Amino acid sequence: MSAASGPEIDVADYRDVWVFVEQHEGEAAPVSWELLAKGRELADETGESLVALVVGDGVSHLAEEAVARGADRALLADDPVFEPYRADPYGEQFRALVEARKPSIVLIGGTHTGRDFAGRVAVPAHAGLTADCTELAVDEAGLLLASRPTFGGSAMATIKCPAHRPQMATVRAGVFDAGEPADGTESAADAVESVEVVVAEEDTLSTVLERVVGGVVDITDADVIVAGGAGCEGDVTPLVELAEALGGEVAATRAAVEEGWVEPARQVGQTGKTVRPHLYVAAGISGAVQHLEGMNGSDVVVAVNTDPNAPIFEHADYGIVGDLHEVLPALTAMVREKRE
Ligand code: FAD
């Protein structure tokens, strides 16, 4: 961004890495802890503090968990006006804190919620906001390097904002490892600062009349994924049945999605979702680099392919050379038998 597109600021006034802890009804979105773990790395590199920002109603436990997970401090804006989520009170509270405290880097999950209000913080601050990032780093000058796929996923763009603050990024869920909270969280409460709530119910522009949850599947939370590719040849029943038996979700390559066999929300890869399940079954999938990019954080990969030379086998913990229409039903039968 050019310095001409906003007021002149002294970037030296801005310090610290902030992570927004997204929550719904008191439960943290997994991306929050993923970003906190990454934020810790960035803060250690820049020599700054890592600050968690927790907004909600009755959410002090999340501020304490953020500290237990590595934040140096947590800022807590706790008030009924923040439940349920609405963009205007969240955006206004966040904007006021950014203006008063001047963070250098602000990381927000690239979820529906994060995307909804991040612009309300970035625009008035004339901040640089890079959306839907899949990689984060800092350069030798401490500037945020925010990378994201571009040109339909055919190239990666790395964006930095030398003249504007804060440097903001929304980040895709599932691209970083969340890690675990440290033991012994007794001192966590001391590192939580309750901040002044700057929004009142009468000032908010919107009222939530009804919340409709569901409809669109979210495979990024799944512990078990059974994914299929072009090798399904139009029949995804073996995937669905194995996923059901294992209590997991069905996913697919772009090839299977483009054929219309599986809905687009279940596509894994560079232009789909990034997933990190405990178990990823890749059936009839060749192992193209764009697909691997979305699933190579899986704990255990089982590949099923008729071609013993398929590249997916190089990325699998267990490989089965065979027809998925025979192998998957056999696995399903075994799982069902064990469960009985
Ligand atoms: P194929 O490569 O055709 O592989 C099918 C495999 O099935 C083969 O290995 C074959 O041996 C095996 N097979 C056939 N029959 C059977 C059977 N009966 N039983 C078992 N195995 C069988 N792809 C993604 O997945 N996600 C993305 O997000 C994505 N983004 C992309 C972005 C860009 C810019 C580009 C250029 C491409 C992208 N792609 C993406 C496409 C990617 O390059 C591959 O084309 C795609 O992943 C291939 O899908 P596939 O493995 O299902 O099909």
Side-chain angles (χ1 to χ4, degrees):
M1 286 179 73
S2 105
S5 63
E8 287 288 324
I9 56 153
D10 185 352
V11 296
D13 292 343
Y14 291 74
R15 282 192 64 75
D16 297 339
V17 177
W18 281 20
V19 170
F20 171 64
V21 177
E22 178 180 333
Q23 57 80 32
H24 297 280
E25 295 174 348
E27 194 175 324
V31 68
S32 307
W33 304 142
E34 294 161 16
L35 287 186
L36 204 69
K38 187 66 188 178
R40 181 71 268 162
E41 278 176 41
L42 300 180
D44 287 345
E45 278 183 56
T46 60
E48 295 175 324
S49 294
L50 174 65
V51 180
L53 177 54
V54 182
V55 180
D57 183 23
V59 289
S60 58
H61 62 289
L62 295 179
E64 289 176 30
E65 182 166 354
V67 174
R69 286 177 173 272
D72 295 300
R73 5 187 250 287
L75 303 178
L76 173 65
D78 207 326
D79 192 274
V81 76
F82 299 122
E83 187 60 44
Y85 165 80
R86 286 168 296 173
D88 48 338
Y90 266 64
E92 179 53 18
Q93 180 70 42
F94 208 136
R95 187 205 59 73
L97 279 169
V98 163
E99 192 178 291
R101 312 260 179 144
K102 297 185 169 37
S104 177
I105 293 174
V106 174
L107 307 178
I108 298 172
T111 58
H112 293 299
T113 300
R115 289 170 196 216
D116 191 37
F117 81 87
R120 289 176 183 253
V121 182
V123 171
H126 298 275
L129 170 61
T130 308
D132 209 23
C133 297
T134 55
E135 285 173 33
L136 297 174
V138 286
D139 70 7
E140 57 294 340
L143 283 174
L144 180 68
L145 302 174
S147 302
R148 51 154 302 156
T150 188
F151 294 118
S154 56
M156 289 294 284
T158 298
I159 294 155
K160 62 180 176 179
C161 296
H164 291 262
R165 291 293 182 275
Q167 305 161 86
M168 292 180 65
T170 60
V171 183
R172 250 200 230 186
V175 293
F176 301 122
D177 193 354
E180 296 292 331
D183 288 338
T185 57
E186 309 86 53
S187 62
D190 298 343
V192 176
E193 178 190 347
S194 289
V195 298
E196 185 196 352
V197 173
V198 299
V199 275
E201 187 57 50
E202 55 272 23
D203 302 330
T204 58
L205 302 172
S206 54
T207 306
V208 176
L209 300 177
E210 187 188 7
R211 267 185 93 203
V212 182
V213 180
V216 180
V217 66
D218 182 7
I219 58 169
T220 59
D221 278 352
D223 268 348
V224 174
I225 289 182
V226 181
C232 292
E233 293 159 348
D235 179 12
V236 295
T237 312
L239 307 178
V240 175
E241 291 186 342
L242 182 57
E244 264 172 23
L246 292 168
E249 289 288 349
V250 167
T253 63
R254 190 160 98 171
V257 168
E258 281 176 349
E259 290 288 349
W261 305 335
V262 178
E263 65 202 276
R266 295 180 187 270
Q267 182 182 318
V268 170
Q270 197 182 79
T271 44
K273 300 274 168 51
T274 303
V275 295
R276 297 177 153 268
H278 292 312
L279 173 64
Y280 191 88
V281 180
I285 292 176
S286 59
V289 64
Q290 294 89 353
H291 185 76
L292 296 173
E293 194 172 302
M295 47 66 78
N296 58 14
S298 307
D299 291 337
V300 175
V301 176
V302 177
V304 182
N305 201 302
T306 44
D307 176 3
N309 298 315
I312 190 73
F313 285 129
E314 285 166 34
H315 304 272
D317 300 282
Y318 300 93
I320 303 173
V321 178
D323 184 338
L324 72 91
H325 298 99
E326 292 165 13
V327 175
L328 295 199
L331 291 176
T332 305
M334 274 171 56
V335 174
R336 284 183 182 151
E337 206 180 291
K338 286 238 182 275
R339 293 246 153 121
E340 274 165 17

